Amino acid sequence: MPRPVDVEALVAGVRDGQRAAVARAITVVESSRPEHRVAARELLTALAEVERPPATRVGISGVPGVGKSTFIESLGTRLTSAGHRVGVLAVDPSSVRTGGSVLGDKTRMSALSVDPRAFIRPSPSAGTLGGVARATTQAMLVLEAAGHDVVLVETVGVGQSEVTVARMVDTFLFLTLARTGDQLQGIKKGILEIVDVVAVNKADAHEGQSHAADARVAARELAGALRLVRGHAEWAPPVVTCSGLTGEGVDDVWDRVGQHRDHLGPDGLARKRAEQQLEFTWALVRDELDQRLRSSAGVAAVRDDVRRAVLSGELPAPLAADRLLAAYDGDST
Ligand code: GDP
């Protein structure tokens, strides 16, 4: 039997910043169990009433191996030493397939994971990217209600995950390595369209030589590429160099994040968040409709027939879709 959720006690614990309560609250909001969904709604409604100044929400993306977790460990410990409370969440679409996640993995952030002023949570494996995004957005609200004033959302550059994360944060930071010329093509154009700050990481001595100069050259080229893609937009994303390993340049990256936030201003930030809320609302609706479709008894009754008919070439896809939709009985959940 699942433990019943005492929403009131949980809200009190979260407001107090108690780790166990925060962890449990995130489990409840991430859960897709029907009994948790009701509790999650109550919990989120109650937590929304907790008055806090808006936290700084930052998305951090880059290919595996670029140094995301090392960077977050360095940035996070600097922020907690400066008195901030830092939440780290992860959006990892591959965890949907593997059932596990390397992002937000505590063993990869050894100092931050034992830091009382930090809370790290790996990616939920919620079935779809939409499901992961929904769970992460709600986990973010729990962390903020618990007094975390900085939330870092880590993601890998797989599929649509960067766009999904960019839509849930105030500032989107992209980590890359020193690449020049043709290698620059390897950075997806879609990334250049959504980044707010870029950092060329590992600008330090490794493999027996200094890479700081390469990183600076790469940063200049990347800044040029960004100008081409973004034109004369209001915000020209700065490209800086850093090393998550030595910590050099990490403060500068954070300053740039702050500058982007200042550029948005309180009204711009409020507008951005309001628009994100609206997008999120529709994402929730799509997610719910998808769930209902999956659990519809009507659809279940014809699913195997339709599958067979499509696979054997008897039934064209549009007609198959019509049959499934006709069988959908709407509110069988
Ligand atoms: P992630 O997959 O993006 O999270 O990357 P990790 O943080 O796990 O780092 C991948 C590898 O690169 C590890 O072996 C790190 O030690 C190394 N690494 C990470 N950051 C830096 C850096 O700033 N400089 C150098 N030289 N190596 C780094």
Side-chain angles (χ1 to χ4, degrees):
M1 273 294 284
R3 260 194 297 158
V5 181
D6 181 346
V7 173
E8 219 171 291
L10 211 46
V11 170
V14 169
R15 289 178 73 132
D16 247 19
Q18 290 166 18
R19 296 184 83 83
V22 171
R24 171 98 173 118
I26 294 179
T27 302
V28 170
V29 298
E30 278 179 352
S31 169
S32 53
R33 296 164 107 111
E35 73 273 18
H36 277 167
R37 292 183 78 138
V38 176
R41 216 160 285 153
E42 283 175 26
L43 185 64
L44 287 166
T45 307
L47 291 179
E49 283 160 17
V50 179
E51 295 268 335
R52 303 259 191 213
T56 301
R57 303 172 176 172
V58 181
I60 300 180
S61 181
V63 295
V66 74
K68 290 180 296 300
S69 54
T70 309
F71 177 86
I72 292 172
E73 164 99 338
S74 171
L75 174 65
T77 46
R78 275 155 200 266
L79 291 171
T80 58
S81 307
H84 294 284
R85 294 193 49 208
V86 179
V88 180
L89 297 169
V91 170
D92 182 358
S94 67
S95 70
V96 171
R97 267 174 280 123
T98 60
S101 173
V102 286
L103 294 187
D105 180 351
K106 294 182 186 181
T107 58
R108 291 161 78 237
M109 301 176 195
S110 52
L112 206 55
S113 63
V114 295
D115 189 329
R117 301 188 70 84
F119 192 99
I120 304 177
R121 182 86 172 187
S123 180
S125 38
T128 58
L129 179 56
V132 173
R134 168 202 174 111
T136 305
T137 302
Q138 295 177 346
M140 188 154 77
L141 299 176
V142 173
L143 287 179
E144 291 176 3
H148 294 85
D149 60 330
V150 176
V151 178
L152 308 175
V153 185
E154 181 187 9
T155 193
V156 267
V158 174
Q160 284 290 303
S161 71
E162 299 107 336
V163 176
T164 303
V165 168
R167 284 188 184 145
M168 62 173 82
V169 296
D170 308 328
T171 301
F172 187 68
L173 165 65
F174 181 63
L175 296 184
T176 185
L177 299 175
R179 306 162 194 264
T180 57
D182 285 350
Q183 286 175 298
L184 264 184
Q185 307 294 327
I187 298 177
K188 286 190 270 178
K189 186 158 169 273
I191 289 281
L192 300 183
E193 282 163 0
I194 58 170
V195 288
D196 300 308
V197 178
V198 179
V200 180
N201 194 27
K202 305 197 184 179
D204 52 39
H206 58 274
E207 292 153 1
Q209 61 188 79
S210 170
H211 291 263
D214 295 348
R216 280 194 299 273
V217 172
R220 264 198 304 278
E221 286 199 20
L222 202 47
L226 271 167
R227 274 194 297 276
L228 279 181
V229 171
R230 302 280 281 256
H232 293 285
E234 269 181 56
W235 172 255
V239 186
V240 296
T241 63
C242 72
S243 165
L245 201 61
T246 66
E248 209 173 326
V250 172
D251 287 337
D252 187 29
V253 176
W254 190 247
D255 286 347
R256 304 303 176 132
V257 168
Q259 284 168 13
H260 176 251
R261 209 175 162 74
D262 291 346
H263 163 81
L264 287 174
D267 292 349
L269 185 63
R271 214 167 29 242
K272 184 168 184 167
R273 288 193 171 186
E275 281 163 14
Q276 288 175 339
Q277 281 300 305
L278 186 60
E279 271 180 42
F280 185 48
T281 303
W282 282 106
L284 291 180
V285 170
R286 281 190 294 271
D287 213 45
E288 180 63 33
L289 286 178
D290 194 52
Q291 288 248 2
R292 290 189 192 184
L293 196 61
R294 282 170 204 278
S295 56
S296 149
V299 172
V302 300
R303 184 184 289 146
D304 287 347
D305 273 354
V306 171
R307 179 187 145 85
R308 212 171 319 122
V310 173
L311 287 179
S312 68
E314 255 167 68
L315 191 61
L319 297 186
D322 283 348
R323 256 187 81 186
L324 289 170
L325 287 169
Y328 175 52
D329 41 5
D331 51 4
S332 62
T333 47

